[in-house]
Amino acid sequence: MNQDLRREREAASFNPELLTHVLDGSPENTRRRREIENLILNDPDFQHEDLNFLTRSQRYEVAVRKSANMVRKMREFGIADPEEIMWFKKIHMVNFVEPVGLNFSMFIPTLLNQGTTAQQEKWLLSSQGLQIIGTYAQTEMGHGTHLRGLETTATYDPETQEFILNSPTVTSIKWWPGGLGKTSNHAIVLAQLITKGKCYGLHAFIVPIREIGTHKPLPGITVGDIGPKFGYDEMDNGYLKMDNYRIPRENMLMKYAQVKPDGTYVKPVSNKLTYGTMVFVRSFLVGEAARSLSKACTIAIRYSAVRHQSEIKPGEPEPQILDFQTQQYKLFPLLATAYAFQFVGAYVKETYHRINEGIGQGDLSELPELHALVAGLKAFTSWTTNAAIEACRMACGGHGYSHCSGLPNIYVTFTPTCTFEGENTVMMLQTARFLMKSYDQVHSGKLVGGMVSYLNDLPTQRVQPRQVAMWPTVVDIDSPDSLTEAYKLRAARLVEIAAKNLQNEVIQRESKEVAWNLTSVDLVRASEAHCHYVAVKLFSEKLLKIQDKSVHSVLRNLCLLYCLYGISQKAGDFLQGSIMTESQITQVNQRIKELLTAIRPDAVALVDAFDFQDVTLGSVLGRYDGNVYENLFEWAKKSPLNKSEVHESYYKYLKPLQSKL
Amino acid sequence: MDSPVHRVSLGDTWSRRVHPDMASERFIQSFSVEQLTNILDGGAQNTALRRKVESIIHSDPEFSVKDNYFMTQNERYVAAIQKRFHFQIIAKRLGWLENSPEFYYAYRALSGELALGLHTVFLKSLQSLGSEEQIAKWTPLCNEFRIIASYAQTELGHGTNLRGLETEATYDAATQEFVVHSPTLTATKWWPGDMGRSATHTLVQAQLICSGARQGMHAFIVPIRSLQDHTPLPGVTVGDIGPKMDFDNIDHGFLRLDHVRIPRENMLSRFAQVLPDGTYVKLGTQQTNYFSMVVVRVELLLGEIIPLLQKACVIAIRYSVIRRQSSIRPSDPEAKILDYQTQQQKLLPQLATAYAFHFLASNLLKFLHSSYDAIRNKDFSNLPELHALSAGIKAMTSDLCFQGSELCRRACGGHGYSKLSGLPSLVTRVTASCTYEGDNTVLYLQMARFLVKNYLQTQAIPGSTQKSLPPSVAYLTAPYLARCPAQKAADFLHPKLYTTAWAHVAARLIKDSAHHLETLIRSGADWAEAWNQTTVIHLQTAKAHCYYISVKSFTETLEKLENKPAVWQVLKRLCDLYALHGILTNAADFLHDGFLSGAQVDAVRTGYLELLGLVRKDAILLTDAFDFTDPSLNSALGCYDGNVYERLFHWAQKSPTNTQENPAYEKYLRPLLQSWKSRL
């Protein structure tokens, strides 16, 4: 092991294993997760090639091979529990991008949620056994997050009892669905249902797209890959155009809405349930934000402990770059954020499961708040993580730009999270809508519960700038609880400002919708503040549950850093709201520097506690053993450009150039 | 004259008809786009020359970059070499000289998709660091491509910190040669462009050792590949460093030297030389080594970094008037997404930044040109300021151009993630500029050092006047203003007012920086330790100063345009937007000492939101004024005619994933599908 990393690990003030248990939820979870990881790592069939040297087509091929293997292996190893399947996939697929994935994550669940018993009987077994490979086709070239704008039509023809599917315009071509380009032979297509001359809105249809046996597109179907992307090389995101393509009536998923053979439309009773899936997927993405950021921090912090550069004092040996204050200032707040998001992710997952049990018993009361909160948290964590991964990459200097660092790959794989499953700005505005509703409720005399309960205090505690005395307590910058209060006040203030600006615009514009648009910048700001408060609150509450003293102490420092760094970044809000004074902000900045120094000896142990396998990190810079430079040189030698000593282009262009000029 | 659509378009089926949603944006022209283009180009004659070069480049199919997105690293490298080759022939035929405006415009038209760019860096270093004899000897060899040259500074273990480089050049008086050597693994040169596969020579930065003494970094011309068969020369291990985020067109290389001998004359010796007997003679100050870096950094701004943000703005803003999503009122048709306030807030400040940086960089370039000859003739009086400005402004522009273009990419939703949008490539290119030619954090700190030094000087010499300070920091002696006098939102729309506000914040932070440093020194820390303990505030200080410089530079540009009221009006709004956006993003700095009150910050926000609506109206015209051709944008989303979706569909169909067989089906999918069938 590299000497620097060995020293760092020996000097840590706590046992990272205990922190790993906290992150996994229990020591038993850690044990079982590692057991599953080792099944894969010790399996001779599992070979992991470096994707960086492969073309897009080769990467796709590798992913299909792995997908195919995985189904077999999971049966072999008897892995069926959802959590265990996740652990398995995270190691097996590494990038977590699998062309067959949507069959399991979207096609089958949609079939289960929206299909009748008869439909499930017809398709479930064959899709579970991959006799058919399904995908889920919602997004179109011209429309994404705004579902009602989708243009694909399914027109019922009672004579043949068929639906006729059409992509009437170029913008209506289905665009982006994963696995659609090359892999799938069926798709669940969302289309505007038209029967008896009337449009009934979006419904889901099972559409065969490729012939079983030859895999050729069926007549009336134009299907293909949408071409190269920023990342997701392994995925065949596809397009689908349908021209008068007929499917039997039974292919419409009819658990809720129905079309009778004669074309009569039967309305669904309630479909509040459908957004259960969205909440689930978004809460999963919050966890993914935590995971991606944790990976990036692991790489950047280990590398910063191995890399030596410059000098702090003239004449002394070059220090580890992690000893530079600027490097600590770049990385440690991100490390603290990674921990904060780990706890936010765990919270939304638990809450979802708790509420989901309630839904099973018909209790939907908590769903709207969770829906609103998760939308905002998905946006908040993914925006922050997006910028943070890039910051980690840049903190690794030039080598961070090379694919050897693994960081470009983590970035391009993560960044679509800002867009898919609901574009972030739209998500923030959904949260804002809930905040405005809650604000109005409070003002009409009703109390609100859950994470927005702080709004209950607003009417009695008018928010007025420049009156510090109005606030209940003076902020103690060494207390996570007190800092949580400060964030709460900031959120309350920004929610109130947005609400008032909205009211003013409504009065001036005479249209609620126009007013909403002209207030949307304020509304997004309010949502961000709300989400930030939630993250701070969850982190400081987590501290109460940590028993081990040394782990508690290091997490407390991280929690303080997370809170104080946020204040320093948004100091304008805290000053303007008179939540804190100028001199307190100066103290905050001073305290941040002290915390950087306090965290420094534990930095490597803190990233070790994330417990990533080297294969998951996919990084020469972030290797556990820290032997960076030797391996970097070996890695580069594998580059396709180094295959021959003299490159073909020399004979083709360089030599003739020298003679022609 | 041709209509713009005809001149800039790809000439495909869709270019014949401008999308009605795009046409309506150009219907009311509140100012002359052509006039603004001329201003950006620095004169109508430059616009004409640029367009002439563009039409030569774009009418030649050998220069097409449209298949780039489908290529592997190797294919892109070969294509870039092929283009370079073709380009040299054309340039020779047309008499375009190295370093001429034609070269510059051709590079812009080709979006930099050429190989052998380091050739130019080599030549520039030769010009600034070489003796007259050396310049006379090597320049023609380069120009005729008898040799292919690169520039090798960064090593595996060291980058920005030049003094830490480990490569050694030891003088051997017996043979009058230097022995160039990589003593450790980390001394391996790593990252130099064109070196992996192409270069025959490279300019190696190495520690000079002569007569037993270390003399610091010097530059040596080292032949690395045979001029006969291109194989590495004895003692040389050289190759490509592997896949990167971007720059696939360039073969970044590694280089290990095992006691490679080169003649004494191969050390560049404008500022230092080694006599045959090994005596070291210094002919300039230490600063001179930095000079070629200063030149490269300044030229990068307009030559590479800023156009990337400009292009990202063009693509994202054009797409945002074609894309319709949801409706603002329930009864309305779906709205252009640019009509949403949140979309305006994302994109329009970036557009303002793109303009601000253009003027900032132009002004800095003028400053460089006016100082260049003096410095080459060893008058170094402007060098410290030029060095600080080049460092700080490179850091600020690359930082904000990166953040801005990434924001533009994400503002295009899912399609921004497709390479066919052109945006991922812009982002991956511009992000590299945050690191190369000096890591931004280090560069900001160099700027901060300059600021603190000048401030301490004003303190040391009581009664020092503006005249004794370099012009960019003259405001340090300006009269102190405790409170901003603005009363309402409209008051903030005055260049003088917000320039003063920025100067106030920058000056306060410089004082804070110096104060923190001195406090630590007084409490016993030595200077170096105190500096490292206070770097976070120095970063903040340097950033504020750079922002001030950019605001000031924009307002000075405006002052010269008062005779063109329509253009002045639209640029003034951008300038206001740029300054106010900066104030809001850094509100705490303005609130901190009460310079702005909470109510004043609210007024800034009101003014800012109103500006968004006003700039919205001219947004498309403002992107048109950059006058990028469609082939150089290479974006399915950003074409002049606005036919986004047709083009996206068409381009996707050309992807090799659609034109070639799917090997995965036969190998894996079919067996998978069938194995289950047989079991069921």
Side-chain angles (χ1 to χ4, degrees), chain A residues 52-53 55-56 60-61 64-65 75 129-131 141-144 146 171 173 175-176 182-183 212-215 224-232 239 307 309-313 318 323-326 329-330 383 386 390 393-394 397-399 401-403 408 411-412 415-416 419 423 425 513-514 517-521 525 571-572 576 582 586 593 629-630 632-633 635-636 639 641-642 644-647 649-650 653-655 657-658 660-661, chain B residues 69-70 72 74 77-78 81-82 85 89 144-145 148 156-159 161 163 185-186 190-191 197 228-230 232 239-247 254 256 323-326 328-330 334 339-342 345-346 402 406 409-410 413-415 417 419 424 428 431-432 434-435 441 526 528-529 532-536 588 591-592 598 601-602 605 645 648-649 652-653 655 657-658 662-665 667-668 670 672-673 676-677 680:
Chain A
N52 291 308
F53 300 116
T55 63
R56 198 179 150 223
Y60 165 68
E61 201 180 312
V64 171
R65 193 192 75 224
R75 292 210 172 186
L130 284 179
Q131 194 178 359
M141 206 196 291
H143 286 90
H146 180 60
T171 46
I173 297 171
W175 202 267
W176 282 111
K182 302 270 115 182
T183 314
I212 307 285
T214 65
H215 211 60
D225 174 86
I226 62 161
K229 295 148 298 189
F230 206 6
Y232 269 67
Y239 58 77
R307 178 119 175 143
Q309 192 83 317
S310 267
E311 47 198 16
I312 292 173
K313 286 186 188 173
E318 294 190 297
D323 287 332
F324 286 97
Q325 192 184 57
T326 46
Y329 191 69
K330 279 179 200 171
W383 267 338
N386 193 69
E390 257 309 270
R393 190 184 63 67
M394 282 198 246
H399 296 323
Y401 194 72
S402 163
H403 278 295
Y411 184 70
V412 297
T415 188
T419 309
E423 198 278 326
T425 302
E513 292 80 10
V514 173
N517 183 33
L518 290 172
T519 324
S520 51
V521 168
R525 213 155 69 100
Q576 220 185 337
E582 287 82 354
T586 306
K593 289 199 270 181
Y629 294 117
E630 304 83 326
L632 190 49
F633 197 42
W635 181 87
S639 164
L641 258 74
N642 289 329
S644 57
E645 193 169 57
V646 177
H647 196 265
S649 62
Y650 170 70
Y653 303 109
L654 296 178
K655 214 171 160 57
L657 182 63
Q658 289 162 0
K660 279 196 188 173
L661 287 172
Chain B
Y69 302 133
F70 303 130
T72 64
N74 212 354
Y77 164 69
V78 174
I81 291 276
Q82 173 256 319
F85 168 73
I89 305 231
E144 291 160 25
F145 278 83
I148 294 165
L156 195 43
H158 285 90
N161 176 36
R163 279 169 303 159
L185 173 65
T186 46
W190 202 269
W191 279 111
R197 305 273 73 193
Q228 264 64 53
D229 62 6
H230 212 61
D240 177 86
I241 60 159
K244 302 146 291 189
M245 269 187 115
D246 204 336
F247 286 102
F254 61 76
R256 288 181 60 81
R323 179 85 172 177
R324 289 174 175 271
Q325 196 81 296
S326 296
I328 293 175
R329 285 189 198 80
E334 288 196 296
D339 288 325
Y340 290 99
Q341 195 185 50
T342 46
Q345 188 213 11
K346 285 177 195 172
F402 160 65
E406 172 63 3
R409 186 186 66 73
R410 276 185 281 132
H415 295 325
Y417 192 69
K419 279 196 183 165
T428 50
T431 191
C434 298
T435 308
T441 302
D526 65 30
E529 198 181 294
N532 185 42
Q533 288 307 310
T534 45
T535 40
V536 169
L591 288 161
H592 191 90
V601 171
D602 287 340
R605 195 177 302 279
Y645 297 113
L648 190 55
F649 187 41
Q653 286 169 305
S655 166
T657 41
N658 294 320
N662 175 6
Y665 173 68
K667 275 199 210 158
Y668 306 110
R670 192 216 279 278
L672 183 68
L673 295 164
W676 291 101
K677 206 185 250 174
L680 281 165

Side-chain angles (χ1 to χ4, degrees), chain B residues 83 215 262 314 352 433 448 452 537 638 680:
Chain B
K83 285 194 180 69
Q215 302 291 356
I262 56 165
V314 173
S433 69
V452 169
I537 166 107
L680 281 165

Side-chain angles (χ1 to χ4, degrees), chain A residues 291-362:
Chain A
R291 210 174 101 81
S292 302
L293 179 52
S294 305
K295 276 201 223 175
C297 286
T298 304
I299 296 168
I301 288 179
R302 285 186 186 157
Y303 177 62
S304 299
V306 171
R307 178 119 175 143
H308 290 251
Q309 192 83 317
S310 267
E311 47 198 16
I312 292 173
K313 286 186 188 173
E316 284 189 2
E318 294 190 297
Q320 294 162 287
I321 56 174
L322 202 54
D323 287 332
F324 286 97
Q325 192 184 57
T326 46
Q327 191 75 354
Q328 295 169 4
Y329 191 69
K330 279 179 200 171
L331 295 177
F332 295 168
L334 305 182
L335 178 63
T337 307
Y339 272 92
F341 289 0
Q342 290 275 1
F343 301 134
V344 174
Y347 168 83
V348 289
K349 195 168 103 184
E350 280 159 29
T351 313
Y352 172 76
H353 285 301
R354 185 172 55 75
I355 293 181
N356 203 31
E357 279 165 28
I359 295 173
Q361 292 145 19

Side-chain angles (χ1 to χ4, degrees), chain A residues 2 15 20 28 36 88 183 211 225-226 232 254 258 278 289 318 335 344 350 371 378 400 495 503 524 530 594 615 649:
Chain A
N2 169 285
N15 177 4
T20 305
E28 170 54 20
I36 289 172
F88 191 93
T183 314
E211 189 184 43
D225 174 86
I226 62 161
Y232 269 67
M254 296 214 219
Q258 289 176 21
M278 275 196 295
E318 294 190 297
L335 178 63
V344 174
E350 280 159 29
H371 178 248
K378 177 256 181 188
V495 168
Q503 282 163 6
V524 170
H530 176 68
E594 291 163 17
V615 60
S649 62

Side-chain angles (χ1 to χ4, degrees), chain B residues 351-400:
Chain B
L351 181 64
T353 304
Y355 272 91
F357 285 180
H358 186 97
F359 298 127
L360 173 66
S362 305
N363 291 341
L364 184 60
L365 196 61
K366 277 180 210 150
F367 181 40
L368 172 70
H369 287 159
S370 66
S371 319
Y372 187 83
D373 287 333
I375 294 172
R376 278 194 82 230
N377 293 319
K378 296 169 189 158
D379 166 8
F380 300 112
S381 51
N382 274 346
L383 193 55
E385 186 182 24
L386 190 58
H387 177 251
L389 281 172
S390 74
I393 289 174
K394 182 268 181 182
M396 175 176 70
T397 50
S398 56
D399 255 6
L400 298 186

Side-chain angles (χ1 to χ4, degrees), chain B residues 492-527:
Chain B
F492 281 100
L493 305 182
H494 288 101
K496 194 160 177 282
L497 185 123
Y498 52 67
T499 311
T500 312
W502 271 105
H504 172 88
V505 163
R508 177 177 70 74
L509 285 168
I510 293 171
K511 283 171 204 163
D512 270 12
S513 262
H515 174 73
H516 277 83
L517 192 63
E518 287 187 315
T519 310
L520 274 182
I521 291 173
R522 268 202 300 277
S523 70
D526 65 30
W527 202 89

